[in-house]
Amino acid sequence: MDFKNLELHVRIFVLSMLILTGTFCFGDTDSVDVAVINSLYVALGSPPLQGWKPVGGDPCVELWQGVACVFSNITAIHLASMNLGGELGSNLDFPSILEIDLSNNHIGGPIPFTLPPTLTRLSLSGNHLNGTIPDGFSLLTQLSYLDLSANNLSGQLPSSTGSLSSLTTLHLQNNQLTGTLDVLQDLPLQDLDIENNLFSGPIPPKLLTIPNFRKDGNPFNTTIMPSPPAAAPSPVAMAPSPGESPWKVATSPSTAASARASVKKSFIAKHVIWIAGAGFLILVALGVCLFMFCCFKRSEKKNYKKHDAVFEATNQEEKGEKPSLVYEVPNTRTNVIPKVPDEQEMSVKIVSATSESNDGSGSKLPPLQPPPHPLPTIPAEQAIFNQAIPAKATERHGMSSSINVYTVASLQQYTNSFSQENYIGEGTLGPVYRAELPDGKLLAVRKLDATASMGQNHEQFLQLVSSISKIQHSNIVKFMGYCAEYNQRLLVYEYCSNGTLYDALHEDDERRIKLSWNARIRVALGAARALEYLHENFRPPIVHRNFKSANVLLNDKLEVCVSDCGLGPLLSSGSAGQLSGRLLTAYGYSAPEFESGSYTQQSDVFSFGVVMLELLTGRKSYDKSRPRGEQILVRWAVPQLHDIDTLSKMVDPSLNGAYPMKSLSRLADIVSSCVQREPEFRPAMSEIIQDLLRVM
């Protein structure tokens, strides 16, 4: 079979595999890709590009002009010689992009400080880019081709250029770049063009061995020995001509035959890898489907066994025997944890509208006649009292006798049937209401919505409650009890009178709390101690997964109490997890690795860094009312954290300059370390605490 037929068969097979694999995947473009390409389109001045939109859209499915995708991710943008203007903006952070070619246009402004670490080829030549080359190359270890020629770039080459460990082609000709070339000497360069710049100093000897090195038009202050004759470059590695896209390989007529053979072999090798990858994805997808089917069948069997246990208990009671499981409320899920033989029993109080409250007062509650509400009202005679829980079982589940088990009826009374006047706010997992006990004590009741609880059965919910009850720290909201009746699930916490840090920083003047510089440092320190406890002291360690200023509460002494601790199981699976991820991403709190499904303690550290930026600047983590380049706080702020002049301008104006410059600089360093793109470069919370103590 000749190369043409083989190539055709390979293309057909690869296309078939991709279509088949696509049946196991979602076709919509990744939401982060959509947000970034929308931002780029606006920054470029909304040019007439087919399919492109300033908001929303589906670039991969709608085949936007110049956009290439693999499955749901944008992997390349090729828009050379399209008469584009505007700027690149501050957001080119595509999560999976490999190639960007915007050469030979009229794009101005600076090069963005952060570039996608997945890039292998970047061409911005023949534009009107100005300013210095940003020092943002440290993570671009896969970049092999970089062309910034024919722009108005100035200044020295940044130190991070030395981190481009895969760079073989670098074109910088026809700019106004200065300084020496020392930073380039250890790179694996095969093609280097620096002509017509202002480079000076001696040329490093290693650069003289580069096969294709062009250096004329620079004021070097030393005599350069002629370079040794370079071996003829391979057809694939030769540099493209000025008017040609860097992704089109140029070959000379004398080597055309060997070039075609080499390209064909390369094509076949690449596509064999694609075939193997597609086949592997199909096997994985089939395995996942089979696993889910097995789990579903197993779950069905477990449910049948539970129903059998209920009927067995009923039959035993009719015969006068002692039932093994007690279901006190007909047709509802039980609050009973199965008894472990030969273990002592201890009592857990269950708060109902007609029972004694377990808030320490011992006061009697008046008879309940709650108004109509979506939560069902429980008649008093059906309420469960003094339910027995085995002692070792409570230790295993963390169900100490100090935890209240509330009835739906009692919580209806305490919240005035969950009225609007007692509504505090809408959390990721459901609404939160203020509850007032008869003695005047206030509680906060989180009503878990169906999305949050649909992935958990009753036993799993009790295990979650057990875990939450063990979390005890002065900077974490105290867990008071729970309710699990009539398919309703509610969590009860202590009430923090000064609301959230988000309200204190961003709400209108009536609800806003004036936080001094030292008060802000104390808030950051309290939140850091809460995360340190979860990450490093609690066993097993807990990842928060939803850390943001709206979950940092302030009590009447302005002390920090972090909420939503231990609720990771509700946030890590099902549609609730997807919702949480979208919200974190949409509001600027999510770490880069969260988009790939990875979330660790270091992801919490990133979110903590964003909250510290809110404390420093007084800005929201995401603010669509601001100019496009300033909407996402972390992307706007990070490039300015190491410049003392711009740093001073970033500080919250409400502080009126009342802060020590040394303290500000140290805090900026901590923030910068927390929001590093690579998780392994972020510090542990215990290190952050030590650094914050030095700020005060």
Coordinates of all heavy atoms in Angstrom, one line a residue, residues 12 39-40 148 382 452 605:
I12 N -9.4 8.1 7.9 CA -10.7 7.6 8.1 C -10.9 6.9 9.4 O -11.8 7.0 10.1 CB -11.1 6.6 6.9 CG1 -11.2 7.4 5.6 CG2 -12.4 5.9 7.2 CD1 -11.3 6.6 4.3
S39 N -13.1 36.7 26.1 CA -12.3 37.8 26.5 C -11.3 38.2 25.4 O -11.1 39.4 25.2 CB -11.5 37.4 27.8 OG -10.7 38.4 28.2
L40 N -10.7 37.3 24.7 CA -9.8 37.6 23.7 C -10.5 38.3 22.5 O -10.0 39.3 22.0 CB -9.1 36.3 23.1 CG -8.2 36.5 21.9 CD1 -7.0 37.4 22.2 CD2 -7.7 35.1 21.4
L148 N 8.5 36.5 18.2 CA 8.0 37.8 18.6 C 8.7 38.9 17.7 O 8.7 40.1 18.1 CB 8.4 38.1 20.1 CG 7.9 37.1 21.1 CD1 8.4 37.4 22.5 CD2 6.4 37.0 21.1
Q382 N -46.0 11.8 66.9 CA -45.1 11.0 66.1 C -43.7 11.4 66.3 O -42.8 10.7 65.7 CB -45.5 11.2 64.6 CG -46.8 10.5 64.2 CD -47.0 10.6 62.8 OE1 -46.2 11.1 62.0 NE2 -48.1 10.0 62.3
A452 N -27.9 18.8 46.5 CA -26.8 18.5 47.4 C -26.9 17.2 48.1 O -25.9 16.5 48.3 CB -26.7 19.6 48.5
V605 N -5.4 26.5 49.3 CA -4.4 27.6 49.5 C -4.6 28.6 48.4 O -4.5 29.8 48.7 CB -2.9 27.0 49.5 CG1 -1.9 28.1 49.5 CG2 -2.7 26.0 50.7

